[in-house]
Amino acid sequence: MQGIAKRAYDAVVVGAGPNGLAAAVTMAEAGRSVLVLEQASVIGGGARSAELTLPDFIHDICSTVHPLGITSPAFRRMPLEAHGLEWIQSPAAVAHPLDGGRAAIMERSVRATAALLGRDGPAYRALFEDLVARWDQLAPEILKPLLHLPRHPLLLARFGLPALLPASWL
């Protein structure tokens, strides 16, 4: 901890990725003194990006996707854009390799994704269409940090119960 003044902090956050920074900001807003430690030379953790190859070609350094980041209640209440954050959303959010050199692509719409899934398209639409349409009600339920009495218990069950089933059944 060379270069850090020796003093007592209410909290020490190890890692300046999205979760660590959100925790540090929340504690600081509550009036706590916080020290954030980061091993890398830049902050951002798994959400870092940089121009690595060609000009204006931005790479996701940690090869990850943060689909809930843009809807996070914590991030939405912070003026992150004023500090340079730009949420970049790919037209194809996720690709998953399949046997035989094929891949399943998740587009930004349920209908477009379902159209790419052949005979599995109708099952995909049945599973996700209502959840996506009601995302503004569902997101607060699944992103709350503590156990709580759900405001939309049936919607929450519709989201969670399928996760208990094997993917081959779905």
Side-chain angles (χ1 to χ4, degrees), residues 86-168:
E86 178 186 357
W87 292 103
I88 299 171
Q89 298 183 61
S90 171
V94 176
H96 184 79
L98 301 171
D99 292 338
R102 300 173 303 126
I105 306 283
M106 183 190 311
E107 297 281 347
R108 293 190 39 81
S109 94
V110 172
R111 287 178 187 260
T113 301
L116 298 173
L117 295 177
R119 66 182 179 93
D120 292 325
Y124 181 85
R125 280 185 65 184
L127 186 61
F128 290 108
E129 204 158 45
D130 185 54
L131 297 174
V132 170
R134 298 179 62 193
W135 180 249
D136 288 340
Q137 295 171 331
L138 179 60
E141 300 285 7
I142 62 173
L143 296 176
K144 284 191 185 244
L146 301 173
L147 292 175
H148 65 284
L149 185 62
R151 296 186 75 196
H152 304 283
L154 296 177
L155 180 60
L156 194 56
R158 171 100 170 77
F159 171 77
L161 290 176
L164 299 174
L165 300 173
S168 60

Side-chain angles (χ1 to χ4, degrees), residues 20-123:
L21 291 174
V25 166
T26 300
M27 288 185 282
E29 288 175 338
R32 304 292 186 191
S33 61
V34 182
L35 172 65
V36 178
L37 301 175
E38 172 57 52
Q39 179 182 8
S41 61
V42 295
I43 65 170
R48 288 179 292 135
S49 58
E51 205 174 86
L52 298 177
T53 56
L54 301 172
D56 298 325
F57 192 85
I58 306 300
H59 293 266
D60 182 352
I61 293 174
C62 297
S63 188
T64 187
V65 62
H66 296 280
L68 297 179
I70 198 166
T71 61
S72 163
F75 294 151
R76 289 178 92 171
R77 68 178 172 73
M78 296 177 195
L80 298 174
E81 287 82 2
H83 297 282
L85 174 71
E86 178 186 357
W87 292 103
I88 299 171
Q89 298 183 61
S90 171
V94 176
H96 184 79
L98 301 171
D99 292 338
R102 300 173 303 126
I105 306 283
M106 183 190 311
E107 297 281 347
R108 293 190 39 81
S109 94
V110 172
R111 287 178 187 260
T113 301
L116 298 173
L117 295 177
R119 66 182 179 93
D120 292 325

